[in-house]
C-alpha cells in the first residue's frame, strides 16, 4: 500500500511539473509534495530490466535506494541557516550555539569589545562595524535529549550564519538555496521588520521550513505574543508558541515547554547547565495552559491527526503534538515559535533540541535537478541522498582564500573524495579536487571525503557561483539561485597610477558576489560599479584599500533609471544605403507595445515574430531588437516593459544582410519609441525608519520632504516605526539627516521595491542632461 502511494505520488508530481516554465518555478509548484520523498526514495527499487524503474517504462532516470547506513547517517544530520532583520541577534545566537556544542571555548560579543569579536564575524570590517557582511559556515555536534525517554542522541549540524542587511541579500539567497531548514530570528520588541519579510520571501522561494526564535526576551517591552500574531498576519504563516517565558524583561530566567509540559532553566557558567523541572511555576501556570490549548488549536488547522482528535474533543498526547509539529513544519504549513535571550544565555539549548526534533534531515528535503540530455520542458529529476549514487553537488559560494579560490559546495547525491576527478555541468570541464575541507568560519579542517547532505569547501577548483558538479556519469544540472538586479551605481577610479591590483580586486569581487557588477561606460570611459545599496559599494571600496592596497575615489552615486513606453505605436521602416558595390536594404513592419513583467520568469521584454510567408529570411529576424533596448533615447538608460511584434517586411536578394536588418530594427524601434509616450522610470525603495516616539513628527516630515509616501506606522511603548515608499534618487544623504533629527537614536533600512515613472520636471532635467552628453551630430 505504501509503495503504491509512493509511485502515485511520483506520477502526480511529474504531471504537475510537466510545464515549460523555468525549473525554479517547477520547484515552487512542487510544494504540495514537499519533503515526503524519504519514504518514497527508500522504497524505490534500483534500475530494472531495460532501464525500467520500479516497473515504470517511462520513468526519466534510475532511482537509487537509500541503504540502512544512509538512513542512519542522514537521520542525525541537519543543515540550517540563521536568518533575520539587522540587529536581531543572529551572530550572537550562533556564538551561543557554538559554545554550548563545544565548538568554541569562550563566548565573544559581536562588536568585538574584547578585541576578539564573534567567531562567525571573521573579517576585520565585520568586527569594526558590528555587522555580518559575508555568510559564514560552520559545523557542530549536539547531544539532543529525547523528552519522552530521556535518552541522548548525537546530531551533526551544519550552520550558515547570514547577514541581516539588505545590501548583502545575495548571501542569504545562496545560503537558503542549499539548506534544508532555517531558524528565523525575531526581536521580542521590534518583531517582524522589513528585512524579516524579505527573508520570509526567500525561504518560500526555496521551500525552506523554519523554526521561529523570538530573541531578546530580556529587553524592556518584550512581548512575544504580539510577535507570534505578526508571524501569522504579516508573514501569513500559521504559528504558535511552543514555550512560555518564566519571568519577563530583566527577570527572564527560563521557559515552560508546552509540548512536553516541563520548566527549563539555565544555570551555571554562561547558562551551560540546563535544569529541567516537572514543576510549572504558579505565576505562569494559567498562561501556560491557555497557550498549550492555542498551540493544539493552531495544529488542528494544519494537521489531520490533531484535527481529528480536536473534533472528537480528545486531548493529544505529548508525542502526538511533537510529531504533528514536525510533520506540519516540514510540510511548510506551520512554524513553531521558541523564546529566549541569546545575550543572557537563556533558552538556547531548547532551541537546539527543537532544530533536531522539528527540522528535516537531508532525506526529507525534496531536491530536483534537470537532465541536460532532455529538453528543457522535461520534468525535473528527483535526487536521492545516497552515498552510492552518482555525484551531484552545487557550488553556491566562492571566496578568495589564502590558498586560492575557495568553493563552498553542497553535496546532494553521491560521495565527493579528495583527488577525485569531477566535471562542471555548465562548461563540461573536468577538474581534480586537490584539497577538501570543512569550514569553521575562517578556520578549516582537512577531510578525505564528504557524503550526501553535507556542506564542504574545495580549493583550487575554477568555477562560477551556482555551477553544478558531477562525477561525469550523469548529465544532471541544478538550478542556480535567484540574483536580484543592482539598484545603485558609482564611478570609481584609483588615486594616482592604476595598478594591476585595481582590476584584480574588481574581478575577484565580481566573481564572489553576483549582485556586484562592473562595466566601462562607453561615453565617459569611466569604470562603473553597481550594487544593492550605498553600504554594499562602500564595503567593497574599503576592502580594495585594505586587501589590495588600492586607494580609490568614487563619484556621485548614480541611480539605475530605466525607460519604458506607455502606449502602442506602429512602425513601417525601410533602411536603404547605396554605396559602391552591394548596398544595404531591409524593410520591417509591425508595432511596439507596453508589456507587464511575467511573475514567473521575471521577463518584461519580448520579441514576437508573426511574419507570414517568407517576406524576411528567418536568419535575419530577431536582429537588432535587444541591441535597441540597451540605450533609450530619453536618458540613455536601458528600456524595459516593451514587446516588439514583427508583422511583415521586405528584403533584397543581394543587398539584404544581417547588418541591414539589425540597423532597420534599431531605426524602426527608435522611431516608434518616440510615438509610444516614452517615460523614464526610477527605483522606488521600501524604507523602514525606527526612532524614539518624540521624534515621530520630525521623521515623517523628513520623509515627506523627500517625496516619500508613508504606507504604515506603528507606535509601541517609547518607540515608533514608519514604513514609507521613497524614490532612491531622493534617499542620498538620508542617514546623516536622520541622525541629526533624532540625536543619533534613529535608524533606517531600505530595499528595492519596483520602478515607477519619474515626475515630469525630473524627466525634463534628465533628458536635458543626456542631450548635453551627445555629440552635436546626434542632437
Amino acid at each position: 500500500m505504501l509503495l503504491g502511494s509512493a509511485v502515485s505520488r511520483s506520477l502526480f508530481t511529474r504531471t504537475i511539473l510537466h510545464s515549460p516554465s523555468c525549473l525554479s518555478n517547477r520547484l515552487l509548484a512542487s510544494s504540495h509534495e514537499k519533503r515526503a520523498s524519504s519514504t518514497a526514495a527508500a522504497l524505490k527499487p534500483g534500475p530494472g530490466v531495460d532501464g525500467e524503474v520500479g516497473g515504470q517504462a517511462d520513468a526519466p532516470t534510475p532511482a537509487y535506494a537509500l541503504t540502512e547506513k544512509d538512513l542512519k547517517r542522514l537521520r542525525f544530520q541537519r543543515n540550517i541557516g540563521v536568518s533575520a532583520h539587522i540587529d536581531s541577534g543572529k551572530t550572537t545566537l550562533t556564538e551561543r550555539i557554538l559554545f554550548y556544542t563545544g565548538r568554541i571555548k569562550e563566548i565573544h560579543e559581536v562588536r568585538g569589545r574584547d578585541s576578539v569579536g564573534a567567531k562567525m564575524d571573521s573579517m576585520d570590517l565585520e568586527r569594526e562595524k558590528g555587522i555580518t557582511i559575508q555568510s559564514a559556515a560552520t559545523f557542530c555536534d549536539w547531544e539532543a535529549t529525547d523528552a519522552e525517554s530521556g535518552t541522548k542522541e548525537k546530531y551533526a549540524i551544519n550552520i550558515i550564519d547570514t547577514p541581516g542587511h539588505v545590501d548583502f541579500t545575495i548571501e542569504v539567497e545562496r545560503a537558503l538555496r542549499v539548506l534544508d531548514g532555517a531558524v528565523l530570528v525575531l526581536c521580542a520588541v521590534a518583531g517582524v521588520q522589513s528585512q524579516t519579510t524579505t527573508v520570509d520571501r526567500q525561504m518560500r522561494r526555496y521551500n525552506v521550513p523554519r523554526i521561529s526564535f523570538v530573541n531578546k526576551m530580556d529587553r524592556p517591552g518584550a512581548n512575544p505574543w504580539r510577535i507570534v500574531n505578526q508571524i501569522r498576519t504579516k508573514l501569513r504563516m500559521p504559528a504558535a508558541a511552543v514555550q512560555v517565558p518564566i519571568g519577563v524583561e530583566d527577570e527572564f530566567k527560563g521557559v515552560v515547554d508546552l509540548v512536553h509540559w516541563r520548566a527549563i532553566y539555565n544555570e551555571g557558567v554562561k547558562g551551560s547547565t540546563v535544569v529541567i523541572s516537572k514543576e510549572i511555576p504558579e505565576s505562569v501556570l494559567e498562561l501556560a495552559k491557555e497557550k498549550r490549548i492555542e498551540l493544539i488549536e493552531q495544529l488542528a488547522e494544519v494537521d489531520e491527526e490533531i484535527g481529528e482528535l480536536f473534533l472528537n474533543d480528545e486531548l493529544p498526547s505529548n508525542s502526538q503534538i511533537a510529531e504533528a509539529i514536525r510533520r506540519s513544519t516540514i510540510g511548510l504549513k506551520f512554524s513553531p515559535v521558541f523564546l529566549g535571550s541569546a545575550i543572557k544565555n537563556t533558552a538556547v539549548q531548547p532551541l537546539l533540541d527543537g532544530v533536531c526534533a522539528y527540522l528535516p534531515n537531508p532525506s526529507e528535503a525534496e531536491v530536483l535537478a534537470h537532465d541536460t540530455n532532455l529538453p528543457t520542458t522535461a520534468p525535473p529529476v528527483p535526487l536521492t541522498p545516497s552515498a552510492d549514487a552518482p555525484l551531484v553537488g552545487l557550488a553556491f559560494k566562492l571566496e578568495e582564500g589564502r590558498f586560492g579560490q575557495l568553493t563552498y559546495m553542497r553535496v546532494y547525491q553521491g560521495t565527493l573524495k579528495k583527488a577525485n576527478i569531477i566535471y562542471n555541468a555548465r562548461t563540461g570541464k573536468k577538474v581534480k579536487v586537490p584539497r577538501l575541507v570543512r569550514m569553521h568560519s575562517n578556520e578549516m579542517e582537512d577531510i578525505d571525503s564528504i557524503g550526501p547532505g553535507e556542506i564542504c569547501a574545495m580549493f583550487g577548483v575554477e568555477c562560477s557561483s551556482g555551477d553544478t558538479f558531477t562525477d561525469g556519469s550523469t548529465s544532471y544540472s541544478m538550478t542556480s539561485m535567484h540574483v536580484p538586479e543592482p539598484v545603485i551605481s558609482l564611478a570609481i577610479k584609483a588615486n594616482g597610477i592604476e595598478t594591476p591590483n585595481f582590476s584584480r580586486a574588481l574581478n575577484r569581487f565580481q566573481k564572489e558576489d553576483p549582485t556586484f557588477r562592473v562595466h566601462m561606460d562607453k561615453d565617459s570611459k569611466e569604470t562603473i560599479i553597481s550594487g544593492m545599496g550605498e553600504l554594499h559599494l562602500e564595503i567593497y571600496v574599503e576592502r580594495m584599500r585594505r586587501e589590495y592596497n588600492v586607494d580609490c575615489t568614487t563619484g556621485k552615486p548614480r541611480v539605475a533609471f530605466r525607460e519604458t513606453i506607455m502606449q502602442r505605436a506602429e512602425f513601417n521602416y525601410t533602411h536603404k544605403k547605396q554605396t559602391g558595390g552591394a548596398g544595404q536594404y531591409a524593410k520591417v513592419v509591425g508595432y511596439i507595445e507596453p508589456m507587464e513583467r511575467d511573475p514567473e520568469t521575471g521577463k518584461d521584454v519580448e520579441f514576437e515574430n508573426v511574419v507570414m510567408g517568407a517576406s524576411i529570411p528567418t536568419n535575419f529576424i530577431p536582429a537588432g531588437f535587444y541591441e535597441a533596448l540597451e540605450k533609450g533615447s530619453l536618458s540613455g538608460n536601458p528600456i524595459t516593459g516593451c514587446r516588439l511584434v514583427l508583422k511583415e517586411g521586405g528584403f533584397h536578394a543581394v543587398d539584404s544582410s544581417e547588418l541591414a536588418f539589425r540597423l532597420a530594427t534599431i531605426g524602426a524601434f527608435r522611431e516608434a519609441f518616440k510615438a509610444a509616450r516614452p517615460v523614464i522610470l526610477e527605483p522606488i525603495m521600501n524604507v523602514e525608519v525606527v526612532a524614539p516616539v518624540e521624534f515621530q513628527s520630525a521623521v515623517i516630515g523628513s520623509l515627506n520632504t523627500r517625496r516619500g509616501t508613508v504606507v504604515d506606522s506603528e507606535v509601541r511603548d517609547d518607540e515608533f516605526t514608519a514604513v514609507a515608499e521613497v524614490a532612491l534618487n531622493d534617499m542620498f544623504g538620508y542617514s546623516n539627516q536622520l541622525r541629526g533629527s533624532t540625536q543619533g537614536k534613529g535608524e533606517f533600512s531600505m530595499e528595492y521595491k519596483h520602478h515607477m515613472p519619474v515626475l515630469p520636471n525630473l524627466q525634463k532635467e534628465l533628458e536635458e542632461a543626456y542631450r548635453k552628453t551627445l555629440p552635436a551630430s546626434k542632437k
Side-chain angles (χ1 to χ4, degrees):
M1 181 64 205
L2 196 54
L3 180 59
S5 70
V7 173
S8 67
R9 181 156 54 242
S10 76
L11 284 167
F12 166 77
T13 309
R14 286 172 52 211
T15 313
I16 290 271
L17 299 176
H18 197 87
S19 73
S21 61
C22 73
L23 187 56
S24 62
N25 297 305
R26 279 185 241 139
L27 278 168
L28 289 176
S30 69
S31 60
H32 299 288
E33 288 302 295
K34 253 330 38 69
R35 311 188 179 264
S37 63
S38 57
T39 319
L43 289 164
K44 280 178 191 166
V49 185
D50 300 328
E52 289 187 11
V53 186
Q56 280 177 248
D58 63 339
T61 52
Y64 290 84
L66 287 172
T67 62
E68 199 61 44
K69 190 180 171 188
D70 282 331
L71 287 167
K72 190 178 176 186
R73 181 180 56 80
L74 292 168
R75 191 187 148 211
F76 298 110
Q77 175 72 46
R78 297 288 181 273
N79 295 313
I80 63 162
V82 182
S83 306
H85 185 85
I86 317 147
D87 279 347
S88 296
K90 296 175 297 301
T91 306
T92 308
L93 174 64
T94 312
E95 188 81 356
R96 278 16 179 219
I97 290 173
L98 295 178
F99 178 70
Y100 296 136
T101 54
R103 284 296 287 149
I104 55 175
K105 298 285 175 277
E106 281 296 323
I107 292 176
H108 296 287
E109 297 315 331
V110 168
R111 290 193 187 271
R113 292 190 192 95
D114 52 4
S115 76
V116 178
K119 177 69 194 169
M120 301 305 272
D121 286 347
S122 56
M123 282 171 66
D124 290 341
L125 263 171
E126 291 179 316
R127 290 176 176 180
E128 281 171 29
K129 290 184 178 284
I131 58 169
T132 303
I133 293 168
Q134 288 187 332
S135 57
T138 187
F139 62 96
C140 56
D141 293 324
W142 174 245
E143 280 201 346
T145 310
D146 187 295
E148 297 295 307
S149 62
T151 54
K152 285 186 179 289
E153 291 175 316
K154 199 173 190 180
Y155 285 81
I157 305 174
N158 282 313
I159 302 170
I160 298 183
D161 175 34
T162 61
H165 207 287
V166 69
D167 285 24
F168 312 109
T169 191
I170 190 67
E171 294 288 333
V172 188
E173 197 79 45
R174 54 184 166 199
L176 291 176
R177 170 66 185 86
V178 297
L179 293 168
D180 304 321
V183 177
L184 178 65
V185 184
L186 300 112
C187 171
V189 180
V192 172
Q193 294 166 275
S194 59
Q195 191 60 15
T196 319
T197 317
T198 306
V199 170
D200 169 70
R201 195 164 56 241
Q202 290 167 324
M203 287 177 182
R204 288 174 193 271
R205 184 179 289 132
Y206 302 114
N207 296 308
V208 179
R210 90 282 293 263
I211 275 178
S212 302
F213 180 66
V214 178
N215 192 20
K216 304 192 179 182
M217 282 297 296
D218 58 304
R219 274 187 63 183
N223 183 352
W225 316 122
R226 190 174 62 82
I227 316 304
V228 171
N229 195 45
Q230 281 186 340
I231 296 170
R232 292 175 195 155
T233 53
K234 288 191 176 180
L235 302 182
R236 298 189 306 284
M237 169 61 81
V242 291
Q243 294 173 339
V244 164
I246 300 171
V248 288
E249 298 176 2
D250 55 352
E251 295 291 309
F252 177 62
K253 57 177 183 284
V255 290
V256 174
D257 180 350
L258 300 178
V259 180
H260 302 290
W261 204 245
R262 56 194 184 154
I264 304 171
Y265 302 94
N266 284 79
E267 291 176 5
V269 180
K270 296 186 177 169
S272 49
T273 309
V274 179
V275 177
I276 294 171
S277 164
K278 288 288 177 189
E279 288 288 313
I280 309 293
E282 199 64 42
S283 57
V284 292
L285 187 59
E286 285 309 308
L287 178 66
K289 284 178 182 171
E290 181 194 316
K291 292 298 173 188
R292 184 176 161 100
I293 291 164
E294 189 182 304
L295 170 65
I296 294 166
E297 283 172 359
Q298 285 288 324
L299 284 171
E301 288 179 23
V302 293
D303 186 78
E304 277 181 36
E305 189 185 317
I306 300 291
E308 235 169 85
L309 291 170
F310 190 72
L311 287 173
N312 297 334
D313 279 344
E314 291 176 37
L315 274 175
S317 66
N318 294 354
S319 57
Q320 281 175 319
I321 294 174
E323 282 161 19
I325 293 172
R326 180 174 173 76
R327 273 194 305 272
S328 45
T329 303
I330 292 172
L332 305 168
K333 294 186 246 171
F334 180 78
S335 175
V337 182
F338 288 77
L339 316 173
S341 168
I343 198 91
K344 293 284 190 241
N345 312 313
T346 308
V348 175
Q349 294 95 328
L351 173 70
L352 275 168
D353 285 343
V355 164
C356 300
Y358 304 135
L359 288 180
N361 68 51
S363 69
E364 291 168 307
E366 187 180 49
V367 179
L368 300 172
H370 178 65
D371 191 336
T372 52
N373 287 343
L374 300 174
T376 50
T377 52
V381 183
L383 299 182
T384 314
S386 163
D388 303 327
L391 172 73
V392 179
L394 181 72
F396 66 93
K397 176 176 155 72
L398 309 179
E399 215 174 84
E400 196 70 32
R402 296 189 297 274
F403 312 104
Q405 183 176 299
L406 183 65
T407 306
Y408 286 79
M409 184 146 116
R410 162 77 195 260
V411 179
Y412 284 101
Q413 183 176 282
T415 307
L416 178 66
K417 292 180 180 165
K418 189 176 162 183
N420 259 16
I421 299 288
I422 56 173
Y423 292 79
N424 187 324
R426 181 178 57 87
T427 61
K429 284 184 181 172
K430 65 175 185 177
V431 283
K432 190 176 181 180
V433 182
R435 189 178 172 197
L436 205 56
V437 294
R438 287 182 80 180
M439 298 304 296
H440 177 42
S441 186
N442 59 337
E443 293 171 16
M444 50 200 76
E445 183 184 294
D446 279 280
I447 47 170
D448 292 325
S449 71
I450 200 106
E454 290 273 10
I455 291 169
C456 65
M458 307 179 288
F459 271 112
V461 175
E462 274 301 307
C463 66
S464 296
S465 187
D467 281 357
T468 303
F469 284 98
T470 67
D471 57 5
S473 64
T474 67
S475 51
Y476 294 166
S477 178
M478 311 283 296
T479 53
S480 189
M481 65 285 299
H482 166 79
V483 178
E485 285 297 308
V487 293
I488 189 169
S489 303
L490 288 175
I492 184 171
K493 67 171 191 283
N495 289 342
I497 301 163
E498 193 175 299
T499 62
N501 274 2
F502 179 75
S503 54
R504 202 174 292 148
L506 292 177
N507 286 339
R508 173 194 154 185
F509 296 150
Q510 223 180 162
K511 202 171 181 187
E512 281 183 12
D513 182 351
T515 58
F516 179 75
R517 314 270 172 92
V518 182
H519 74 276
M520 183 73 92
D521 190 274
K522 288 178 196 164
D523 302 326
S524 65
K525 301 287 182 283
E526 288 178 314
T527 303
I528 308 294
I529 55 173
S530 308
M532 301 304 295
E534 282 182 276
L535 178 68
H536 189 207
L537 298 180
E538 189 188 302
I539 292 290
Y540 277 119
V541 171
E542 182 62 22
R543 282 183 66 188
M544 284 176 81
R545 191 175 65 77
R546 291 182 184 211
E547 294 170 33
Y548 286 89
N549 209 15
V550 176
D551 206 17
C552 297
T553 48
T554 54
K556 184 179 178 288
R558 298 182 357 180
V559 176
F561 289 107
R562 297 279 180 268
E563 295 182 24
T564 192
I565 53 172
M566 303 300 281
Q567 66 186 37
R568 176 174 156 152
E570 307 276 339
F571 60 81
N572 183 338
Y573 189 88
T574 306
H575 171 71
K576 270 193 229 172
K577 194 172 184 185
Q578 198 63 49
T579 52
Q584 291 177 13
Y585 177 84
K587 183 182 179 185
V588 286
V589 181
Y591 61 88
I592 61 172
E593 62 180 2
M595 178 184 170
E596 290 288 316
R597 180 180 289 275
D598 186 320
E600 286 189 357
T601 59
K603 285 178 90 174
D604 61 356
V605 289
E606 187 177 59
F607 178 88
E608 203 174 313
N609 171 27
V610 291
V611 175
M612 302 295 283
S615 56
I616 303 178
T618 50
N619 54 322
F620 297 154
I621 280 178
F625 170 61
Y626 293 103
E627 199 179 318
L629 294 175
E630 285 173 14
K631 216 162 194 186
S633 46
L634 297 180
S635 61
N637 285 296
I639 297 165
T640 58
C642 179
R643 179 189 286 112
L644 184 141
V645 179
L646 188 62
K647 294 198 291 190
E648 57 180 295
F651 75 103
H652 187 275
V654 177
D655 290 354
S656 287
S657 63
E658 197 264 349
L659 173 67
F661 272 97
R662 197 165 85 236
L663 295 171
T665 308
I666 292 170
F669 182 83
R670 293 210 171 125
E671 194 177 83
F673 185 73
K674 287 174 188 165
R677 268 185 55 219
V679 292
I680 299 173
L681 303 173
E682 63 182 341
I684 303 294
M685 310 302 281
N686 204 37
V687 179
E688 184 179 276
V689 186
V690 180
V693 169
E694 65 261 33
F695 304 114
Q696 185 172 1
S697 57
V699 167
I700 288 173
S702 71
L703 289 170
N704 287 337
T705 58
R706 290 172 183 266
R707 297 192 296 119
T709 309
V710 178
V711 290
D712 187 21
S713 65
E714 184 185 3
V715 177
R716 51 173 184 270
D717 303 331
D718 54 354
E719 201 173 59
F720 91 100
T721 306
V723 179
E725 288 177 11
V726 194
L728 176 62
N729 203 34
D730 296 314
M731 283 302 292
F732 296 126
Y734 182 63
S735 54
N736 290 340
Q737 188 193 351
L738 181 67
R739 274 190 213 116
S741 62
T742 61
Q743 296 171 10
K745 295 172 187 170
E747 56 183 55
F748 82 102
S749 63
M750 66 175 181
E751 66 175 314
Y752 168 74
K753 192 167 189 203
H754 52 219
H755 270 74
M756 289 284 283
V758 301
L759 292 173
N761 62 327
L762 179 58
Q763 176 149 334
K764 204 172 176 186
E765 275 175 39
L766 291 168
E767 285 183 47
E768 285 294 320
Y770 177 59
R771 208 169 286 125
K772 283 176 189 168
T773 65
L774 293 173
S777 59
K778 287 195 177 175
K779 289 177 188 174

